[in-house]
Amino acid sequence: MRRENMAYSETASRIMDIAERLARQGGYNAFSFREIANEIGIKSASVHYHFPTKDALGEALAERYTDRFIGALGQPDDAAAEDILRRYITACGIALKEDKLMCLCGMFGAEIEHLPVPVAGKTKGFFQQSLAWLTKAYMAKGETEEQAKNSAARMISTVEGAMILARALDDLTLFDAATADLV
């Protein structure tokens, strides 16, 4: 069920916040209804009340994450092209450096072959929307549509890879070094 315009209850939002944090730390299999329930202090059945299956929760997580991420970027043509592109890098950098978390859809994307179909679909949607947003930003820089799509793909690949490298080697400066010349 698509809930983009629906408000979640306080409990459902807490469930999603915990599940998202756990998934951004360790992927789709890093959270369970039991763990979430224990952290909140409710019964596992209460988690099932809000999200009948883990697939439903994973789908809602990926959709909410996409809506928040793309929404926070703003319009890809409302400022100078370089500033617009920096927004993307900055958003990922904040997640990594301040929140100490990976991109949720980056984590899900790495394991997409093993995700339930609805979760994989929402994960794919995140990358499609990111590509479209960045393509518009690169076109605002004067690139042709084909050049812009290629530049957008390079941007996403480099930023997601920089997050993985910085986290794997426990050196956040690697993120800045890898993304320094992208704009």
Side-chain angles (χ1 to χ4, degrees):
M1 168 176 23
R2 188 162 177 86
R3 297 185 178 201
E4 68 183 338
N5 294 321
M6 293 177 63
Y8 289 100
S9 70
E10 182 180 335
T11 301
S13 292
R14 289 177 64 203
I15 290 166
M16 291 179 73
D17 291 344
I18 292 166
E20 181 180 322
R21 177 180 43 81
L22 293 170
R24 289 175 71 187
Q25 291 170 337
Y28 185 75
N29 291 317
F31 68 93
S32 71
F33 281 22
R34 183 176 298 137
E35 286 176 286
I36 294 166
N38 287 340
E39 190 167 328
I40 295 175
I42 59 176
K43 294 183 180 192
S44 184
S46 296
V47 178
H48 284 280
Y49 170 78
H50 295 282
F51 301 96
T53 64
K54 186 173 180 176
D55 295 11
L57 176 54
E59 182 180 14
L61 287 176
E63 182 175 42
R64 181 180 79 160
Y65 184 83
T66 300
D67 291 346
R68 286 180 174 179
F69 185 84
I70 299 297
L73 293 175
Q75 295 301 313
D77 56 3
D78 66 358
E82 289 77 17
D83 292 336
I84 293 166
L85 295 172
R86 277 191 197 91
R87 282 185 207 163
Y88 191 88
I89 297 166
T90 300
C92 293
I94 288 170
L96 179 69
K97 296 174 192 175
E98 294 179 15
D99 301 337
K100 308 287 188 233
L101 298 170
M102 297 295 292
C103 167
L104 175 72
C105 291
M107 293 295 284
F108 284 0
E111 53 191 6
I112 200 154
E113 290 181 7
H114 305 289
L115 292 177
V117 171
V119 181
K122 294 297 181 183
T123 301
K124 183 178 178 181
F126 169 84
F127 287 106
Q128 290 169 330
Q129 288 186 49
S130 294
L131 277 170
W133 190 91
L134 285 165
T135 297
K136 287 180 184 176
Y138 278 107
M139 288 175 69
K141 268 184 87 170
E143 293 186 10
T144 67
E145 186 173 357
E146 184 177 340
Q147 291 170 326
K149 284 180 183 178
N150 292 337
S151 294
R154 269 192 305 280
M155 169 75 84
I156 293 170
S157 299
T158 302
V159 170
E160 292 285 346
M163 292 179 82
I164 292 168
L165 183 65
R167 185 174 184 204
L169 297 178
D170 195 26
D171 183 355
L172 298 179
T173 64
L174 290 171
F175 178 85
D176 294 328
T179 61
D181 297 330
L182 288 177
V183 178

